[in-house]
Every structure is written in C-alpha cells, then in structure tokens.
Amino acid sequence: MWTLARTDRDEQALAAYPGMHCQKGQFMNQTFKVSGMTCSHCVNAVQTAILKTDNTAGIQVDLPSGLVSINSKLPRSALVAAIEEAGYKVSSP
C-alpha cells in the first residue's frame, strides 16, 4: 500500500467521512459487483461518478463480470452511494 501527500481537499473528504475504514492518507482497494452496466458508456458513467466523489481514485472495471475495483481513501459507503446515484445497483462481489 502506498501513501500520497494530503491536500486540503483530502482533509475535507476525511472530515466528511469520519467512519472511514482506512487510515488518513492511505488508499484501500475495494471491489464491488455493479449491475446494469451493459456498454462502454455505462463504464464511463460509473467511473465519472466515482471520480466526482474521489478524484484521486484508481478504478478498474470488468464489463463482462460487472466487477469494479476502486483504490480510494473513501469508505465503501461513500463509493456505493456515488455508483447508485449514477443509476446502477451495487452488491458485494
């Protein structure tokens, strides 16, 4: 696991999500099963929703399986909310 220098934006995100599962300044890899993605436009919509929530997130999407891996500082609940707000259903892989 690697760390990056924290910015004011990072501090705001950390303050907004006090129940984080990872330590301040550290990224955590999380995998989600996302239903409803059928094309590259759907993949782009999911990626955009995640990046609006955490613009430092690393995202890998496997369209055939519906698996989305996210390397982010934010808790699972914040990432699920972003994906669901984009119109997709999230479950555990």
Side-chain angles (χ1 to χ4, degrees), residues 10-57:
D10 294 330
E11 294 300 329
Q12 292 170 351
L14 292 169
Y17 299 100
M20 290 182 58
H21 293 74
C22 54
Q23 296 178 6
K24 288 185 178 183
Q26 290 190 348
F27 285 80
M28 184 170 62
N29 194 44
Q30 303 177 69
T31 302
F32 305 87
K33 174 76 173 167
V34 179
S35 302
M37 293 189 304
T38 58
C39 64
S40 61
H41 172 59
C42 297
V43 170
N44 187 48
V46 168
Q47 290 174 328
T48 300
I50 295 164
L51 290 172
K52 283 183 180 178
T53 303
D54 178 0
N55 66 354
T56 64

